[in-house]
Amino acid sequence: MVQEDLGKKLLGILAQIGAWVPSTPRPAKKPNLYKRLMWTIAVLVIYLVMSNIPLPGVNVNTSPQLLLMNIVFAANTGTLTQLGIGPIVTAGLVLQLLMGAKLIDLDMADPEDQKLFTLAQKGFAVLLGVLEAIGIVLSGSLWTHVVNGIAVVSPPPAAIMVIDALLLASSTVLIIIMDEMVQKGWGLGSGISLFITASVVSGIAWEVGGWFAQNGHVIWAGLIPAGLMVGFDKVIIGNPLGAPKVPGTNIGAMPDLIGFIATIIMIVVIAYLSSVKVQVPVAMHRMRGLRTKIPLNLLYVTNIPVLLAAIIFANIQAMAQAAPNSPLATLAYYLTPPRGLLLFLHEPLRMLTYSIALIILSILFGILWVELAGLDPKTQAKQLIESDMQIPGARNDPRHLEKVLAKYIYPLTILSSIIVALLVIVADIFGAYGTGTGLLLAVMILVQYYTMLTFERAIEAYPLLRKVLGE
């Protein structure tokens, strides 16, 4: 009881902070699909513009490496989106973990508790944004550059540092508002999904035709320009331009043809697995035992376990930047996959460590997500009975139905968590563009958007469906 009271008090304090953030009202009338698309595109454009506005006093250099933290947090180093969606997703993850550990007792079916959680998450995100902004500025990582292999920090005047911290904190608040606006019905899906997808697509575009600066020279590192310069037969594997003198990129770090082929194959495989269903037989009691089947996705947990695991890894990477020679930096190194066949063969222990950590965390987060999202056997059994359905051969008793459904749901949860983790691992081994994690997240988000657009078009084409579905 003491822990629950402390949890509620903590949520109350965070909710008070969240209440100060401007809130986007829900539209009085649901906008049509065209307007929602326009708002979604407008939010995306604003975010992309922010991603290309450098912070005062910061020299933004294109990097030959795609960092997991930049992909997962949809961040762009040295710009207004330096923090990206990091504070938002980290705040949500921490609060979800506290709920899973029963340190916070909330009934998410209760509108009041749901409102408290939403405000607390918003307040926690703002608090994290402020703390991370101050931490990044004080660490000096924004003004660190390498001279003759030695990291040199050249901080600007104190006034510039204060302005940068304020801009980063303000950007976090603006991103929260944009995400909330999209989720409340002005746009489609969520701002977080939108920003992650844009970040991954940008990363893939960079690996196809990008460049980076080294010693004052522009080096074309993308597959197409590199292939045109040296011949596509020489970009099958490894770095056709010679090993650039950039830490961590001296072995096969540049995009190659194998990675490009792996990207296409992984997109097809992920899209296909997203459509595979596991059929659970049910019978309708009131319709004289009419039998039907309830389809459960083979990827029952979708991309959530990998996303949550990636958030953990990305936060470790972000903290390690402030302490480059610490044990935390070593941990961050081993939790970052070596991308590409050459790096995989050169550092098998690093890939093994990353793979084991990713699979274990994916399973744990998969089970946690099923319990918190109402996908567990108990909730599903309750919904079956309320829908007047039952599993053939099973008693119409919630506890018995729960046991029967558990035989389907928990193995499917573990299996799907392992599958999505393996998809990421295989994609990284072959150097798929956009990183394995980014590719999985982006493809599954785009599949969800396609399904959403199909549904919305059907609703607008057949208004009667809106009434049937209670829209």
Side-chain angles (χ1 to χ4, degrees):
M1 289 297 293
V2 175
Q3 288 182 342
E4 292 178 5
D5 291 340
L6 288 175
K8 280 289 183 71
K9 289 181 180 179
L10 175 62
L11 286 181
I13 294 172
L14 294 175
Q16 289 179 359
I17 299 175
W20 284 93
V21 180
S23 180
T24 306
R26 293 186 180 276
K29 183 181 179 181
K30 186 177 181 179
N32 59 39
L33 181 58
Y34 175 78
K35 289 183 179 179
R36 294 174 71 189
L37 279 173
M38 290 300 99
W39 278 113
T40 303
I41 293 173
V43 166
L44 179 58
V45 169
I46 292 172
Y47 194 87
L48 292 176
V49 170
M50 291 172 61
S51 298
N52 287 278
I53 298 178
L55 293 166
V58 177
N59 184 22
V60 179
N61 291 317
T62 305
S63 171
Q65 293 175 290
L66 288 179
L67 299 178
L68 178 64
M69 54 179 284
N70 286 4
I71 291 290
V72 174
F73 292 159
N76 193 13
T77 305
T79 69
L80 293 180
T81 58
Q82 165 80 36
L83 302 181
I85 60 173
I88 302 175
V89 295
T90 302
L93 173 61
V94 171
L95 292 182
Q96 292 281 6
L97 289 175
L98 291 177
M99 284 183 59
K102 305 300 181 183
L103 296 177
I104 296 177
D105 186 21
L106 291 179
D107 181 9
M108 296 307 288
D110 185 353
E112 290 299 321
D113 280 0
Q114 193 173 17
K115 180 180 178 181
L116 175 63
F117 182 85
T118 301
L119 282 175
Q121 182 176 347
K122 187 189 297 186
F124 193 19
V126 172
L127 184 61
L128 284 177
V130 172
L131 293 176
E132 289 180 19
I134 296 173
I136 286 176
V137 169
L138 293 180
S139 71
S141 60
L142 291 174
W143 305 282
T144 302
H145 57 282
V146 179
V147 178
N148 297 325
I150 301 175
V152 178
V153 180
S154 303
I160 298 295
M161 297 175 68
V162 172
I163 291 173
D164 284 346
L166 290 174
L167 285 173
L168 288 175
S170 301
S171 297
T172 298
V173 174
L174 180 57
I175 292 170
I176 291 173
I177 294 173
M178 290 193 297
D179 174 56
E180 186 180 50
M181 186 184 77
V182 175
Q183 289 195 56
K184 283 192 172 181
W186 292 100
L188 290 169
S190 74
I192 289 177
S193 298
L194 198 65
F195 304 149
I196 290 176
T197 305
S199 177
V200 176
V201 172
S202 298
I204 293 175
W206 186 92
E207 295 194 280
V208 170
W211 70 91
F212 65 94
Q214 180 180 313
N215 298 327
H217 299 285
V218 173
I219 296 181
W220 292 89
L223 176 68
I224 292 178
L228 291 175
M229 285 189 291
V230 302
F232 283 97
D233 59 318
K234 296 180 181 179
V235 296
I236 294 176
I237 186 171
N239 182 7
L241 302 177
K245 303 301 181 182
V246 180
T249 65
N250 57 341
I251 298 178
M254 295 301 103
D256 55 34
L257 195 57
I258 289 179
F260 180 74
I261 295 172
T263 303
I264 296 175
I265 293 175
M266 292 307 299
I267 289 174
V268 174
V269 170
I270 294 170
Y272 170 74
L273 291 178
S274 298
S275 64
V276 176
K277 309 290 184 182
V278 176
Q279 305 291 341
V280 179
V282 296
M284 302 193 68
H285 182 67
R286 292 183 183 177
M287 301 184 70
R288 298 184 179 182
L290 176 66
R291 293 174 182 262
T292 185
K293 293 180 179 180
I294 295 180
L296 298 178
N297 290 326
L298 174 63
L299 302 184
Y300 189 64
V301 292
T302 63
N303 54 21
I304 297 298
V306 165
L307 174 60
L308 297 179
I311 292 171
I312 296 290
F313 296 162
N315 274 296
I316 293 175
Q317 285 184 9
M319 290 185 290
Q321 285 187 337
N325 297 317
S326 66
L328 186 62
T330 303
L331 176 62
Y333 178 77
Y334 279 96
L335 292 181
T336 305
R339 296 180 57 222
L341 283 173
L342 289 182
L343 274 177
F344 166 63
L345 295 174
H346 184 70
E347 300 182 281
L349 178 61
R350 182 181 169 195
M351 176 56 81
L352 180 63
T353 304
Y354 168 77
S355 301
I356 293 174
L358 180 62
I359 291 174
I360 292 175
L361 282 180
S362 293
I363 293 173
L364 294 176
F365 281 129
I367 295 173
L368 176 64
W369 176 253
V370 164
E371 295 293 334
L372 294 178
L375 301 173
D376 58 293
K378 183 177 181 180
T379 304
Q380 296 300 310
K382 181 181 178 182
Q383 292 178 355
L384 273 178
I385 292 178
E386 290 176 351
S387 302
D388 199 34
M389 293 183 178
Q390 66 181 48
I391 296 177
R395 297 193 306 273
N396 197 23
D397 176 59
R399 289 172 296 180
H400 185 69
L401 282 177
E402 181 182 344
K403 292 180 181 179
V404 175
L405 286 174
K407 296 178 181 179
Y408 288 93
I409 291 177
Y410 285 129
L412 191 57
T413 297
I414 295 174
L415 177 63
S416 60
S417 298
I418 294 175
I419 289 175
V420 292
L422 289 177
L423 287 172
V424 170
I425 293 167
V426 171
D428 281 325
I429 287 176
F430 287 96
Y433 294 2
T435 75
T437 301
L439 200 59
L440 176 75
L441 296 177
V443 173
M444 297 195 73
I445 288 171
L446 290 174
V447 169
Q448 292 170 3
Y449 264 99
Y450 174 77
T451 304
M452 193 185 310
L453 285 171
T454 303
F455 174 78
E456 292 292 339
R457 289 186 63 185
I459 288 291
E460 293 207 346
Y462 304 98
L464 182 61
L465 282 175
R466 190 182 298 275
K467 296 181 180 179
V468 173
L469 296 173
E471 290 279 332

